């Protein structure tokens, strides 16, 4: 029974001179599709510098997660800048109308 092997088995010997067979079938498993981590994207939106760091560190290992974190951080910065500009415009208009 130990002498039966298929074309993918390679005979090996250990220190005690017992022969065993190691299967070296090199069939690759189908690649699993990575899903973006929503929790990290939310964290990236709330703290944009974390999103930038996650994007830079994960862009080769987990590209979808890195892309989601980068987009969330960028969206956060843009939205915050627009809100600050709108806030200053409203405050300036309120101050100007109070002076009249």
């Amino acid at each position: 029974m130990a002498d039966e092997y298929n074309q993918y088995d390679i005979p090996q010997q250990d220190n005690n001179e017992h022969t065993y067979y190691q299967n070296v079938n090199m069939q690759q498993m189908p690649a699993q599709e990575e899903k973006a981590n929503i929790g990290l994207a939310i964290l990236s939106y709330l703290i944009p510098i974390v999103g930038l760091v996650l994007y830079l560190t994960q862009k080769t290992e987990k590209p979808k997660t890195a892309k989601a974190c980068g987009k969330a951080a960028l969206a956060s910065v843009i939205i915050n800048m627009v809100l600050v500009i709108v806030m200053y415009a409203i405050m300036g208009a309120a101050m100007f109308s109070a002076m009249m």
Side-chain angles (χ1 to χ4, degrees):
M1 188 67 113
D3 292 328
E4 295 178 15
Y5 60 94
N6 61 30
Q7 63 183 353
Y8 300 112
D9 290 338
I10 296 176
Q12 304 286 324
Q13 290 187 350
D14 60 10
N15 292 339
N16 296 331
E17 300 298 325
H18 295 118
T19 302
Y20 63 95
Y21 295 91
Q22 178 182 3
N23 193 332
V24 292
N25 188 355
M26 296 296 176
Q27 293 178 348
Q28 293 184 358
M29 299 293 289
Q32 292 182 346
E33 185 176 331
E34 177 208 356
K35 295 181 181 177
N37 190 331
I38 301 301
L40 290 177
I42 292 171
L43 180 66
S44 299
Y45 181 81
L46 297 175
I47 308 171
I49 192 72
V50 171
L52 176 64
V53 170
L54 285 171
Y55 173 74
L56 293 174
T57 58
Q58 300 292 318
K59 65 183 176 182
T60 56
E61 297 170 9
K62 298 180 180 178
K64 288 187 179 181
T65 298
K67 189 174 180 181
C69 290
K71 283 182 177 181
L74 184 62
S76 175
V77 169
I78 291 171
I79 289 171
N80 285 330
M81 289 176 68
V82 168
L83 289 176
V84 166
I85 292 170
V86 169
M87 183 184 72
Y88 278 124
I90 291 172
M91 295 297 285
M95 287 175 48
F96 182 73
S97 67
M99 293 174 65
M100 293 267 171

